[in-house]
Amino acid sequence: MTTPNVLDELEWRGLIAHSTDRDALHAALGEGSVKFYVGFDPTAPSLHMGHLVQVLTAKRLQEAGHTPYALVGGATGMIGDPRDSGERTLNTLDTVKDWVERVRAQIEPFLSFEGDNAATMVNNYDWTASLSTIDFLRDIGKHFPVNRMLARDTVKRRLESGISYTEFSYVLLQSMDYLELNRQFGITLQFGGSDQWGNLTAGVELIRRTDGGHVHALATPLLTKSDGTKYGKTEGGALWLDPEMLSPYAFHQFWLNVEDDKVGELLRVFTFLTRDEIEDLEQQTAEKPFLRAGQKRLADEVTALVHGEHEVEQAKAAAAALFGGGDLSSIKPDTLASALREAGGTTLPAGELPGIVDLLVVAGLVKSKGDARRTVAEGGAYLNNVRVEDPELRPTEADLVAGSWLVLRRGKKNFAGIEVG
């Protein structure tokens, strides 16, 4: 039986937007273990959803027998790739070094560092920091025609508003990385996002010009929502992988709320489910979208990959408890607090608490005190998942859950948190 070629799998999953000679790459991936690399610039203290595509693609290639080198750019992170929104703020060396370690720690759990195709972590600061300007210009810059650099889409768009020589030169640094890794380790494949395609092919061309070598590149597509806008944003900002920057609950909720027509695409890109499993979930989503079977599986799978099974269970338990289906005291305080803040919690100063009628108004669950009293009378008001019978009820400090919260609910679906203190 012929061993499946991982390129076919990546194509089925919609992970190939561009590649150099497809047949040559397919042949190389079918002949033995290919050494490949993917780079991550530490321009923030955490990776986000877009980076996760690359991390999981590296994991797929390694599981197919190929050998990963994950580069965290201590040098390129000092500059940052040009972007349409304008010049990046340059971070200090100490900040970048700290972020290199944070990003490295996020990547490592996804790769195996044992066996014949063990992963290796590399940092381009190691071969860039001591390079002289003269050597850089002679050995690298000489191979880059300025007209070709000016033709890059991002550079063209930035010319009117302005682009520094620093960011303009970024492509030279990334290309030099590929050359260095090819010479030092024999790496013959680099991949990244489709917005990096110009940098990827520039590295291929640099190796051809300097050493006469023939190497490969591929790019994953940019993921967009149904309306064409970029994925990767929540109400609070980017979809960070660091639980301190975005709680596992909020992370789980993001995936739970993706559009029906995007479920299949995201299951292919972000999970390791089989073709049969994904196609079954797509069918369930098409036939009974209200059950949200695809979204539920997607949220569970991706949250487990990034944060672990325990956080999946906590996120699901928190959601159930907030809608009256579980015990609030069984939820970790930070998970519950995150869920309530995500829902738009209100704060009150410490001290004597208002009565339940006032609290329902403050929380935004009713428009007036009259509405609040009617809600209580009709049996539709809940405090910490317990039905409120008395409209004169005044909670005390003993009623606070997770240390400082009151959880209010009107009916089955409308809830709000009030943080005291």
Side-chain angles (χ1 to χ4, degrees), residues 41-43 73 75-83 86-91 158 164 166-171 173 196 199:
D41 277 347
T43 53
T76 42
M78 295 286 291
I79 294 170
D81 196 21
R83 55 184 180 177
E87 287 283 319
R88 295 178 183 271
T89 300
L90 296 180
N91 296 300
R158 284 280 301 280
S164 68
T166 301
E167 290 195 4
F168 181 63
S169 303
Y170 180 93
V171 62
L173 290 175
Q196 292 285 308
N199 293 341

Side-chain angles (χ1 to χ4, degrees), residues 194-207:
S194 58
D195 58 338
Q196 292 285 308
W197 184 238
N199 293 341
L200 300 175
T201 54
V204 171
E205 179 67 8
L206 179 62
I207 291 170

Side-chain angles (χ1 to χ4, degrees), residues 36-59:
F36 67 90
Y37 99 93
V38 58
F40 304 88
D41 277 347
T43 53
S46 173
L47 300 177
H48 55 62
M49 177 187 179
H51 298 120
L52 185 59
V53 177
Q54 312 311 324
V55 174
L56 296 180
T57 301
K59 182 177 176 67

Side-chain angles (χ1 to χ4, degrees), residues 249-318:
Y249 174 85
F251 187 85
H252 189 266
Q253 285 289 310
F254 170 85
W255 300 101
L256 206 54
N257 289 306
V258 301
E259 308 102 318
D260 292 340
D261 61 349
K262 287 291 180 175
V263 167
E265 176 186 359
L266 297 178
L267 283 166
R268 285 172 170 80
V269 171
F270 288 102
T271 78
F272 288 79
L273 298 178
T274 65
R275 183 180 298 219
D276 287 345
E277 288 174 311
I278 291 172
E279 290 175 349
D280 179 55
L281 286 165
E282 285 181 300
Q283 185 174 348
Q284 291 183 55
T285 301
E287 293 176 356
K288 297 181 178 179
F290 56 90
L291 293 179
R292 304 189 73 74
Q295 284 94 333
K296 290 176 182 177
R297 188 68 184 276
L298 175 67
D300 290 356
E301 291 288 329
V302 186
T303 306
L305 277 170
V306 175
H307 297 297
E309 292 284 356
H310 177 68
E311 293 295 351
V312 174
E313 296 309 314
Q314 280 288 309
K316 292 163 74 172

